[in-house]
Amino acid sequence: MLDMSATALAVVQRSHTMAMRAESWLGGQLLTDGIPIADGSESRDRSLAVPEQITLTVPRRDQGYDWDPGTDPAHPLAAYGQMLRIDYGIDIGNGYEWINRGWFLITESSTEGDTVTVTCAGLLTLIAEATLVSPFQPGSSDTLASVVRALIEPALTVSFDGTLVDRAVPLGMQWDSDRLAAVTEVLGAWGAAERVTEDGFLLVEPVSDAAPAVLAISDDRATGTVVRWQGSTTRDGAFNVVVAQGEDANGNQLQGVVYDSSGTSPYQYGGAFNPLPVPYMYQSSLLTTVAQCRTAAAAQLALLRRQAFRKLAVTMVPHPGLVTGDILTVTGAGLTGARCAIEQLSLPYSPGEMTLILRVL
């Protein structure tokens, strides 16, 4: 959850007065801090390569200023490297408390009549669009961390969780074109995942759903919260074991196996889903020991659960502190105090309802 005071946390549990503000920056220089946001929305989806998408509606003219970027490459709303820092304000009685929702890259601005529509995306856009000019080959002294830095910086500053143990990269690795796919492969073999923080850093951390819950919600229509089961069920693509395969320095094939042993999983190994192993195969040349294979298999199992497990759809009063990955406890739809992770969210930038897609852990 994003940083909020105890007062603000209490206010957002019920209907509240909100406001939005945004700054525009280009090349580290502030262009303006007074973008007039008339409407907009923010969506996040952890299954996407670039999870964050923003749409803003801005009046073309406000207080004598023309917000149509036209052909001006230095205009605050142009799409030539301009980044927006967006804050969500909550009226806490003696003024607004502002919650930083993060930094977003303007990808398109268009004007129709008296309205400018601005589309933004998360900062991983910088990595996704920067395909490799020539094949990338790590050196003999490179490690997983140094390879990630080489692929990401200076577009984003990388920060590593202190619990991750760095190690050398095997000789002979090469990535030809897709920069973001190379990063994903390195992190997968490391048992890690990345996310862009609200301060604009790329944080690399272990894949885990073990964090404490940040909020408890219940299916109480009197307070505007509705919890229901979401989507359909299918056996297609389901699994109950992950097999991660690698190779040691002598060319010997290695593998690590992790079974789905969660008592709440509908795919639990040895359960009703299938008494036999139904494997998901994962292979990487970055895996050179059995221990590394097992770590990668466990991480892949956790990542795959984000797509395959049971989902809840929640409609609620907007909570500007919530982001994808946060853990909630949910009572409703037949569940009592169930731990759930936010996989998708939609936050309105004007009065309205927030929607969440939660995965039952």
Side-chain angles (χ1 to χ4, degrees):
M1 180 184 288
L2 303 178
D3 288 338
M4 298 175 63
S5 70
T7 301
L9 283 171
V11 169
V12 298
Q13 303 297 313
R14 59 185 187 276
S15 296
H16 55 270
T17 302
M18 52 78 64
M20 299 300 302
R21 70 182 185 188
E23 302 172 351
S24 176
W25 293 73
L26 179 63
Q29 300 296 317
L30 176 65
L31 299 180
T32 182
D33 60 359
I35 299 172
I37 299 175
D39 200 356
S41 63
E42 171 189 329
S43 64
R44 302 188 184 216
D45 184 343
R46 287 213 288 181
S47 69
L48 302 178
V50 180
E52 306 88 3
Q53 301 291 325
I54 306 288
T55 300
L56 301 177
T57 300
V58 176
R60 177 169 181 172
R61 293 189 177 275
D62 182 77
Q63 298 183 12
Y65 187 79
D66 189 350
W67 290 99
D68 177 9
T71 58
D72 180 5
H75 190 281
L77 298 184
Y80 298 102
Q82 282 84 341
M83 296 183 184
L84 301 186
R85 173 189 156 124
I86 297 178
D87 294 326
Y88 187 111
I90 302 167
D91 187 349
I92 57 174
N94 58 350
Y96 282 88
E97 179 173 327
W98 296 95
I99 292 89
N100 177 19
R101 293 297 300 176
W103 291 79
F104 308 95
L105 181 71
I106 297 179
T107 57
E108 183 179 0
S109 293
S110 61
T111 302
E112 183 175 348
D114 295 330
T115 300
V116 180
T117 300
V118 183
T119 303
C120 306
L123 298 188
L124 277 174
T125 301
L126 296 169
I127 312 305
E129 67 186 11
T131 54
L132 296 167
V133 176
S134 58
F136 178 84
Q137 294 179 316
S140 59
S141 62
D142 271 316
T143 66
L144 298 177
S146 68
V147 167
V148 172
R149 288 193 188 279
L151 291 166
I152 296 293
E153 295 179 344
L156 294 171
T157 299
V158 183
S159 175
F160 296 96
D161 186 283
T163 61
L164 288 171
V165 179
D166 200 9
R167 56 182 170 85
V169 173
L171 294 176
M173 294 297 303
Q174 176 175 301
W175 291 276
D176 293 329
S177 61
D178 193 328
R179 185 183 299 267
L180 187 54
V183 173
T184 300
E185 181 178 355
V186 173
L187 298 185
W190 204 356
E194 84 288 350
R195 64 180 177 89
V196 178
T197 70
E198 64 273 20
D199 296 320
F201 291 87
L202 187 74
L203 176 61
V204 175
E205 57 189 351
V207 177
S208 175
D209 291 320
V214 299
L215 182 69
I217 61 175
S218 61
D219 193 351
D220 185 353
R221 294 172 189 254
T223 63
T225 301
V226 179
V227 180
R228 63 188 185 278
W229 290 105
Q230 187 260 350
S232 58
T233 64
T234 178
R235 292 181 69 87
D236 290 344
F239 57 91
N240 57 18
V241 56
V242 175
V243 180
Q245 299 176 326
E247 184 179 291
D248 67 15
N250 297 319
N252 298 313
Q253 297 299 308
L254 307 172
Q255 74 175 29
V257 181
V258 173
Y259 293 89
D260 187 347
S261 59
S262 171
T264 61
S265 171
Y267 307 116
Q268 182 182 16
Y269 177 70
F273 169 68
N274 194 323
L276 299 174
V278 181
Y280 175 89
M281 309 303 294
Y282 173 80
Q283 194 280 331
S284 175
S285 298
L286 291 165
L287 302 174
T288 60
T289 70
V290 172
Q292 292 170 11
C293 290
R294 288 173 178 162
T295 298
Q300 286 300 312
L301 177 61
L303 290 172
L304 290 164
R305 282 173 173 166
R306 295 179 182 177
Q307 303 176 32
F309 269 36
R310 297 177 299 164
K311 302 286 179 63
L312 295 170
V314 176
T315 303
M316 59 186 288
V317 173
H319 191 309
L322 296 178
V323 291
T324 49
D326 281 345
I327 306 297
L328 311 182
T329 57
V330 178
T331 298
L335 301 173
T336 302
R339 282 173 52 85
C340 301
I342 301 177
E343 297 298 329
Q344 302 173 38
L345 66 77
S346 179
L347 176 67
Y349 283 177
S350 60
E353 293 180 331
M354 183 180 195
T355 59
L356 306 175
I357 300 299
L358 306 179
R359 170 173 50 94
V360 181
L361 299 178

